[in-house]
Amino acid sequence: MAGELPLKAYRMGIDTHQEPVVYMRKDCAVCRAEGYTANTRLQIKAGECTLIATLNTVAEEILPRGSIGFSDSAWEFLDLKPGTPVLVHHAPEVHSLSALRKKIYGNSLNTLEISGIIHDIGRRLYSDIEIAGFLTACAGGRLSSAETIALTTAMVNNGNRLHWPEYERIFDKHCIGGLPGNRTTPIVVAIASAAGLIIPKTSSRAITSPAGTADTMEVLTNVDLPLLHLRNVITRTGACLAAGGEVGLSPTDDLLIRIERALNLDSEGQLVASVLSKKIAAGSTHILIDMPIGPTAKVRDREQAERLAALFQSVARGLGVTVRCVMTDGSEAIGWGIGPAEEARDVLSVLRNARDAPSDLTERALYLASQLLGMARDISDRQALQEAREILASGRAWQQFRKICEAQGGLKQIPTAGHHIELRSQRHGRLRSMDNRRLAHLAKVAGAPSSPEAGLRLRVKVGEMIHEHQPLATLYAETPGELAYAREYFHQNRDLFDVAVEELPVRE
Amino acid sequence: MAGELPLKAYRMGIDTHQEPVVYMRKDCAVCRAEGYTANTRLQIKAGECTLIATLNTVAEEILPRGSIGFSDSAWEFLDLKPGTPVLVHHAPEVHSLSALRKKIYGNSLNTLEISGIIHDIGRRLYSDIEIAGFLTACAGGRLSSAETIALTTAMVNNGNRLHWPEYERIFDKHCIGGLPGNRTTPIVVAIASAAGLIIPKTSSRAITSPAGTADTMEVLTNVDLPLLHLRNVITRTGACLAAGGEVGLSPTDDLLIRIERALNLDSEGQLVASVLSKKIAAGSTHILIDMPIGPTAKVRDREQAERLAALFQSVARGLGVTVRCVMTDGSEAIGWGIGPAEEARDVLSVLRNARDAPSDLTERALYLASQLLGMARDISDRQALQEAREILASGRAWQQFRKICEAQGGLKQIPTAGHHIELRSQRHGRLRSMDNRRLAHLAKVAGAPSSPEAGLRLRVKVGEMIHEHQPLATLYAETPGELAYAREYFHQNRDLFDVAVEELPVRE
């Protein structure tokens, strides 16, 4: 059959994100004979590798005859070279889709069915719309606690797993729904490991924000560590502050998160499975969950936080790990800096006990570190906070942080931006609020996080009296063009700093 | 802002089916500054037209600098010309998505919320995965009868609508889940309209089958009729047998069906809304629903059929139309022909009372026509069947059919295929079954429906004794290449005719 005629692989140079797409000419004999049309799901074989991809048909002139085009992610998944012969067939039936339909029709799934779904998603056998169907069918409380346990287990098993036979307890922390500038992790890890806890922390890079913890740490040290190096750092310091991308922990989670984000869905079962699968795959046994509560945070109110905490506890019990959930104030940005370098400056100023250290960041980090200490030892909250404060004040946290950075490859100098400008108020009045979403966008327009030194340093706090021309923030960029572009954005969005004009005597 | 700098429209020549995709260079200043990455949803403005599309980023060499590429459907939707200036922005929030999330989280929706969702889907504001989320959230009995009524109403209102003020009652028929060769519609319409019923029938072309009713009718007459011509045909004959594509009835249904098909979902609420919205938009007041029941049919058993019939009735009441559901045998193919021309031959032989007319097709058509007569008049099933039989036997149905075809542009000669071959049995034995799915595929491999004369004419019936070399079917194709290709498929799939070898005396 025509399906057995190999076609030559051709890289289209199109990034479709993670959804694998192949491109075939409309006049291709294989397409016509097999009835392949746009959106047909095809099985592509190159050597021993197999992939299911969605077909887009293309005009003759953009693809050589006898070739089949690949999107970037499909090309990389199959590890192709130009001209590699590939075979094309109709996609075979994906057996776990019958379990998916069962769930969609309102039935619950057993462990085997859930592991089949996760396994097939991991092998890229699901289209984006099938993943969307799975996430939707599990949302709205339709994933029971037992199903969430099965889902978490399947996600853990469907990727790499770290083992730490030399340690009895492995600690970790996770924050649900980041707050701008809320860069507590490096400080918490330094304090907790200085106190003797084992806390091998891997973090993600920014996806939609101007900086992730990995971006901030990358300003200070090397964060891309092969597994062997990572183990070595932990053996020497009891901790690490590395980027998590390379280790392949719960990779299915990344596939699900992409579609959850596109659907703007925060299903509680998926959230718990996502967080715990990453942590358990990393070998953690004791996990602190920070839940900032606020009107623009992921967790809106106490009731939701408590429901989520209960689900975390029940799934953690099912999986044999210890979880502590804490609720924190999620109403305001934390610290002065936004963007990798500026956030790194805040982190160092706290660790060094600098006089201008942002006290909100200090207190938040101390609180979270004390909660970790409380999980590790049979001490009161007050004793734990006291111990965390002593470790920070005595310089032991700073010493420990430098030790971790040295083990990872050395503490680097924070870079200074080539260009900066003061953003000044046009009015006199009281600063009533700042729009965190647009502040984050401003830092991104200036180039963060791909330019690590780009970003903002806030100069005022909510509630302060501001006078005309007073600097509200300093804006940093790598190039004059990016600076000008960000300044232009600020000029069009001056109201992101809400300065209320005070009643003044009439001048005339 | 850079978002205000226009880019030049460029047609990529990529068919992504109905999902609109735009392509921007990775080094494009707008992409970098605004943080657009692969999968970002963008709003594209060209003149007064607006579209939401998904972004794919591309390598520099495949798109001229300063340009933005468009998939075929996006290009057509915006009616672009090469170089048309377009503006790109982040997609605005689609307000009805909050109603979608409400449904996903398990709440019911009111009429306003449902109409908002359907309106936005119709304006192409939803991505495929958002449509998948909507369909999944409505599956498994999660769409109440009230919601189904609201959905149907929204779909009717979101497209064109035909009005027939001159007639009191407008009849229509619909078959849930086609059976191969089940081409009853032209016969039923001829009989019912000969009996005086008004039955303006529009049908679809084949999507996955070797022929749709519109493909079969196109062999016999002109089916692409502008609305004015259509009205004229109906005024003159009381009926029509046209293609429905051009009239724009319930266009949202087509957008939903594409994703339902990809998810292999047959949600009952969606099915009822899909069928009734098309019929009500066409102005129908009395609708006969044929539900073939069988192991490979859409409706598997009587229980499912009854549940579906009850939902049809309740929604029909809510919308003020009359529906009658009948259950028929869906276990076997009907008639001898598969493919547009061969099915047209069966239709004509029934209408002409030919001696070799397939009696299963005749009886099925008579039954359905009698049910329509029963809806129209206060007569018993027996009287109705008697009347239908008389209309067919007397030649009035054939006369009426010719009248409809004449009004549509004249009755055409059925074309004869340029090439044919007999498919013969290699064994002696009893024909136990035929694989309908593979028979349909064989006809498609031979070129149906794009070559209308391509297809199959079956020569045997299930249960018959077959001797070696006896023809099982005649295979028709337009070109020798297609014929050879289809024959090759048959040789590799001989078991689609299941001929059980009879116990014969041992020869040695």
Side-chain angles (χ1 to χ4, degrees):
Chain A
M1 300 305 293
E4 288 303 326
L5 293 175
L7 293 165
K8 286 180 193 153
Y10 179 88
R11 185 169 194 156
M12 295 297 283
I14 298 179
D15 180 1
T16 57
H17 211 87
Q18 284 163 344
E19 163 119 59
V21 175
V22 293
Y23 303 84
M24 290 172 81
R25 288 163 62 123
K26 287 190 181 117
D27 67 350
C28 169
V30 179
C31 272
R32 286 204 59 194
E34 294 291 322
Y36 301 157
T37 56
N39 256 25
T40 303
R41 297 280 289 163
L42 297 176
Q43 180 182 53
I44 313 294
K45 280 192 187 174
E48 294 301 299
C49 273
T50 297
L51 172 76
I52 307 287
T54 299
L55 174 65
N56 282 185
T57 54
V58 301
E60 289 72 27
E61 59 273 20
I62 72 170
L63 189 65
R65 192 180 290 277
S67 295
I68 175 168
F70 288 85
S71 68
D72 292 350
S73 62
W75 185 268
E76 280 151 22
F77 187 85
L78 287 173
D79 198 17
L80 295 169
K81 304 273 170 292
T84 301
V86 298
L87 292 174
V88 179
H89 295 274
H90 272 288
E93 205 191 328
V94 176
H95 292 297
S96 70
L97 286 174
S98 65
L100 168 57
R101 276 189 288 279
K102 192 174 153 190
K103 185 72 198 163
I104 290 176
Y105 288 130
N107 306 293
S108 28
L109 299 183
N110 64 35
T111 306
L112 213 64
E113 289 165 328
I114 288 179
S115 82
I117 290 173
I118 292 301
H119 182 246
D120 287 345
I121 290 175
R123 284 166 69 211
R124 307 289 200 284
L125 300 186
Y126 275 49
S127 68
D128 281 1
I129 59 175
E130 287 160 347
I131 295 176
F134 176 62
L135 293 169
T136 305
C138 294
R142 291 197 197 92
L143 207 61
S144 70
S145 161
E147 286 175 313
T148 309
I149 292 170
L151 178 63
T152 311
T153 309
M155 286 164 71
V156 168
N157 292 337
N158 201 57
N160 291 331
R161 214 170 155 174
L162 305 186
H163 295 279
W164 310 96
E166 61 273 47
Y167 305 114
E168 197 194 332
R169 296 187 297 180
I170 302 287
F171 289 82
D172 207 338
K173 77 164 274 283
H174 183 85
C175 178
I176 306 286
L179 229 49
N182 189 15
R183 204 54 61 216
T184 56
T185 298
I187 307 165
V188 172
V189 167
I191 297 173
S193 60
L197 274 56
I198 305 297
I199 182 163
K201 183 81 191 120
T202 58
S203 306
S204 58
R205 290 175 199 279
I207 301 168
T208 57
S209 70
T213 295
D215 299 302
T216 301
M217 281 308 302
E218 197 164 29
V219 169
L220 296 167
T221 187
N222 178 27
V223 295
D224 288 317
L225 306 180
L227 195 51
L228 219 66
H229 188 171
L230 201 78
R231 285 193 172 276
N232 192 265
V233 173
I234 296 155
T235 308
R236 283 162 63 191
T237 69
C240 70
L241 280 158
E246 297 304 303
V247 193
L249 305 176
S250 189
T252 336
D253 185 43
D254 303 334
L255 300 172
L256 297 179
I257 279 181
R258 177 175 61 96
I259 305 295
E260 281 189 283
R261 192 168 288 138
L263 277 172
N264 199 0
L265 267 192
D266 277 323
S267 140
E268 296 183 351
Q270 287 289 347
L271 173 64
V272 169
S274 166
V275 170
L276 291 186
S277 68
K278 288 269 191 214
K279 301 302 176 199
I280 292 168
S284 305
T285 59
H286 289 67
I287 303 150
L288 177 68
I289 308 284
D290 175 16
M291 294 184 189
I293 303 176
T296 62
K298 195 173 267 186
V299 180
R300 302 295 170 93
D301 55 40
R302 211 172 168 88
E303 190 195 326
Q304 192 194 350
E306 274 163 11
R307 204 172 52 234
L308 194 56
L311 185 58
F312 261 113
Q313 292 299 353
S314 123
V315 175
R317 262 197 307 279
L319 287 155
V321 295
T322 304
V323 159
R324 179 183 286 196
C325 295
V326 296
M327 296 166 204
T328 55
D329 177 11
S331 59
E332 237 192 303
I334 304 272
W336 299 108
I338 299 174
E342 293 310 310
E343 294 182 27
R345 261 182 248 288
D346 280 352
V347 166
L348 291 200
S349 71
V350 170
L351 285 168
R352 283 169 167 160
N353 297 299
R355 199 140 17 125
D356 63 346
S359 62
D360 52 0
L361 182 62
T362 307
E363 291 306 316
R364 179 67 55 93
L366 283 171
Y367 174 70
L368 293 173
S370 76
Q371 289 293 320
L372 276 173
L373 297 181
M375 287 178 84
R377 297 177 198 151
D378 190 17
I379 50 176
S380 73
D381 280 4
R382 210 167 140 266
Q383 285 172 308
L385 190 58
Q386 186 57 31
E387 184 179 343
R389 206 177 284 283
E390 274 168 20
I391 291 172
L392 182 65
S394 66
R396 279 169 61 209
W398 170 227
Q399 192 184 354
Q400 170 66 6
F401 183 80
R402 277 180 303 172
K403 199 170 150 194
I404 296 168
C405 290
E406 288 306 329
Q408 291 192 187
L411 183 66
K412 296 194 280 192
Q413 194 79 31
I414 299 177
T416 309
H419 302 270
H420 72 273
I421 193 178
E422 299 298 331
L423 305 179
R424 293 174 190 276
S425 178
Q426 284 188 316
R427 325 186 177 177
H428 179 91
R430 195 170 297 280
L431 179 61
R432 291 195 299 191
S433 68
M434 292 186 260
D435 183 330
N436 290 326
R437 199 186 53 77
R438 282 191 284 169
L439 276 178
H441 190 68
L442 178 57
K444 285 169 68 182
V445 169
S450 59
S451 302
E453 65 266 49
L456 285 167
R457 175 148 291 268
L458 298 171
R459 300 293 179 191
V460 289
K461 276 269 159 204
V462 169
E464 259 179 52
M465 277 301 298
I466 312 287
H467 51 80
E468 217 182 324
H469 303 307
Q470 180 178 335
L472 299 165
T474 311
L475 178 67
Y476 300 94
E478 191 185 339
T479 66
E482 283 168 315
L483 191 72
Y485 185 56
R487 184 177 48 193
E488 176 68 19
Y489 178 84
F490 172 69
H491 285 163
Q492 291 183 9
N493 290 275
R494 284 189 168 276
D495 62 324
L496 68 82
F497 291 94
D498 179 9
V499 178
V501 179
E502 298 281 293
E503 298 294 324
L504 289 174
V506 182
R507 282 199 198 167
E508 286 142 285
Chain B
M1 300 302 294
E4 289 301 326
L5 293 175
L7 292 165
K8 286 181 192 151
Y10 179 88
R11 185 169 194 156
M12 295 297 283
I14 297 179
D15 180 1
T16 57
H17 210 89
Q18 284 164 343
E19 162 118 59
V21 175
V22 293
Y23 303 84
M24 291 172 81
R25 289 164 61 125
K26 287 191 182 118
D27 67 350
C28 170
V30 179
C31 271
R32 286 202 59 193
E34 293 292 322
Y36 301 156
T37 56
N39 257 24
T40 303
R41 298 278 290 162
L42 297 176
Q43 182 182 52
I44 313 293
K45 280 192 187 174
E48 294 302 301
C49 271
T50 296
L51 172 76
I52 307 286
T54 299
L55 175 66
N56 282 187
T57 55
V58 301
E60 288 72 28
E61 60 272 20
I62 72 170
L63 189 65
R65 190 180 291 276
S67 294
I68 176 168
F70 289 83
S71 68
D72 291 350
S73 62
W75 184 269
E76 281 151 22
F77 188 85
L78 288 173
D79 198 16
L80 295 169
K81 303 273 171 290
T84 302
V86 298
L87 292 175
V88 180
H89 296 274
H90 270 288
E93 205 190 331
V94 176
H95 293 296
S96 70
L97 285 175
S98 67
L100 168 57
R101 276 189 288 280
K102 191 174 155 192
K103 183 73 197 161
I104 291 176
Y105 288 130
N107 306 293
S108 26
L109 299 183
N110 63 34
T111 305
L112 213 64
E113 289 164 329
I114 289 180
S115 82
I117 290 174
I118 292 301
H119 181 248
D120 286 345
I121 290 175
R123 284 167 68 211
R124 306 290 201 285
L125 300 186
Y126 274 48
S127 68
D128 281 1
I129 60 175
E130 286 160 348
I131 296 176
F134 176 62
L135 293 170
T136 305
C138 294
R142 290 196 197 93
L143 207 61
S144 70
S145 162
E147 286 174 313
T148 309
I149 292 171
L151 177 64
T152 311
T153 309
M155 285 164 72
V156 168
N157 292 338
N158 201 57
N160 291 329
R161 214 170 155 174
L162 305 186
H163 296 279
W164 310 95
E166 61 273 48
Y167 305 113
E168 195 193 333
R169 296 187 296 181
I170 302 287
F171 289 82
D172 206 337
K173 79 164 272 283
H174 183 86
C175 179
I176 305 285
L179 228 48
N182 190 15
R183 203 56 59 216
T184 56
T185 298
I187 308 165
V188 171
V189 167
I191 297 173
S193 60
L197 276 56
I198 304 297
I199 181 162
K201 182 80 192 123
T202 57
S203 306
S204 58
R205 290 175 199 280
I207 302 168
T208 57
S209 70
T213 294
D215 300 301
T216 302
M217 281 308 302
E218 196 164 31
V219 168
L220 297 167
T221 188
N222 177 28
V223 296
D224 290 315
L225 305 180
L227 196 51
L228 218 66
H229 188 171
L230 201 79
R231 286 193 171 276
N232 192 266
V233 173
I234 296 155
T235 308
R236 285 162 62 190
T237 69
C240 69
L241 280 158
E246 297 304 303
V247 194
L249 305 175
S250 190
T252 335
D253 185 42
D254 303 334
L255 300 172
L256 297 178
I257 279 181
R258 178 174 61 96
I259 304 294
E260 282 189 283
R261 192 169 286 137
L263 277 173
N264 199 0
L265 266 193
D266 277 324
S267 140
E268 296 183 349
Q270 287 289 345
L271 174 63
V272 169
S274 166
V275 170
L276 291 186
S277 68
K278 288 268 191 214
K279 301 301 176 199
I280 292 169
S284 305
T285 59
H286 290 67
I287 303 149
L288 177 67
I289 308 283
D290 175 15
M291 294 184 188
I293 304 176
T296 62
K298 195 174 266 186
V299 180
R300 303 294 170 94
D301 53 41
R302 213 173 165 86
E303 190 195 326
Q304 192 194 349
E306 275 163 9
R307 204 172 49 236
L308 193 57
L311 185 59
F312 262 113
Q313 292 300 352
S314 121
V315 175
R317 262 195 308 277
L319 287 155
V321 294
T322 304
V323 159
R324 178 183 288 195
C325 295
V326 294
M327 295 164 204
T328 54
D329 177 11
S331 59
E332 237 191 302
I334 304 273
W336 299 107
I338 300 175
E342 294 310 310
E343 294 181 27
R345 260 182 248 290
D346 280 352
V347 166
L348 290 201
S349 71
V350 170
L351 285 167
R352 284 168 166 160
N353 298 298
R355 198 139 21 124
D356 61 347
S359 61
D360 52 358
L361 181 62
T362 306
E363 292 305 316
R364 179 67 55 94
L366 284 172
Y367 174 70
L368 295 173
S370 75
Q371 289 293 321
L372 276 172
L373 297 180
M375 289 178 83
R377 298 178 196 148
D378 190 17
I379 50 175
S380 72
D381 280 3
R382 208 166 142 267
Q383 285 172 307
L385 190 59
Q386 185 59 30
E387 182 179 346
R389 206 178 285 282
E390 274 169 19
I391 291 171
L392 181 66
S394 67
R396 279 170 58 210
W398 170 227
Q399 193 184 353
Q400 169 69 6
F401 183 80
R402 277 181 304 174
K403 197 170 152 193
I404 296 168
C405 291
E406 289 306 330
Q408 292 192 188
L411 182 65
K412 296 194 280 191
Q413 194 79 32
I414 299 178
T416 310
H419 302 270
H420 73 272
I421 193 179
E422 300 298 330
L423 305 179
R424 291 173 192 277
S425 177
Q426 283 187 317
R427 325 184 176 178
H428 179 91
R430 195 171 296 281
L431 180 61
R432 291 195 298 193
S433 67
M434 292 185 262
D435 182 330
N436 289 327
R437 198 186 53 78
R438 282 190 286 169
L439 275 178
H441 189 70
L442 177 56
K444 284 169 68 184
V445 169
S450 59
S451 303
E453 65 268 48
L456 285 168
R457 176 149 291 267
L458 298 172
R459 301 294 181 189
V460 289
K461 276 268 159 204
V462 168
E464 258 179 53
M465 278 300 298
I466 311 287
H467 51 78
E468 216 182 322
H469 304 308
Q470 180 178 335
L472 299 165
T474 310
L475 178 67
Y476 300 95
E478 189 184 344
T479 66
E482 284 168 314
L483 191 71
Y485 184 57
R487 185 176 49 194
E488 175 69 18
Y489 178 84
F490 172 69
H491 286 163
Q492 289 182 9
N493 290 275
R494 283 189 168 277
D495 61 324
L496 67 83
F497 291 93
D498 180 8
V499 179
V501 179
E502 299 279 293
E503 298 295 322
L504 290 172
V506 182
R507 283 199 198 165
E508 289 139 284

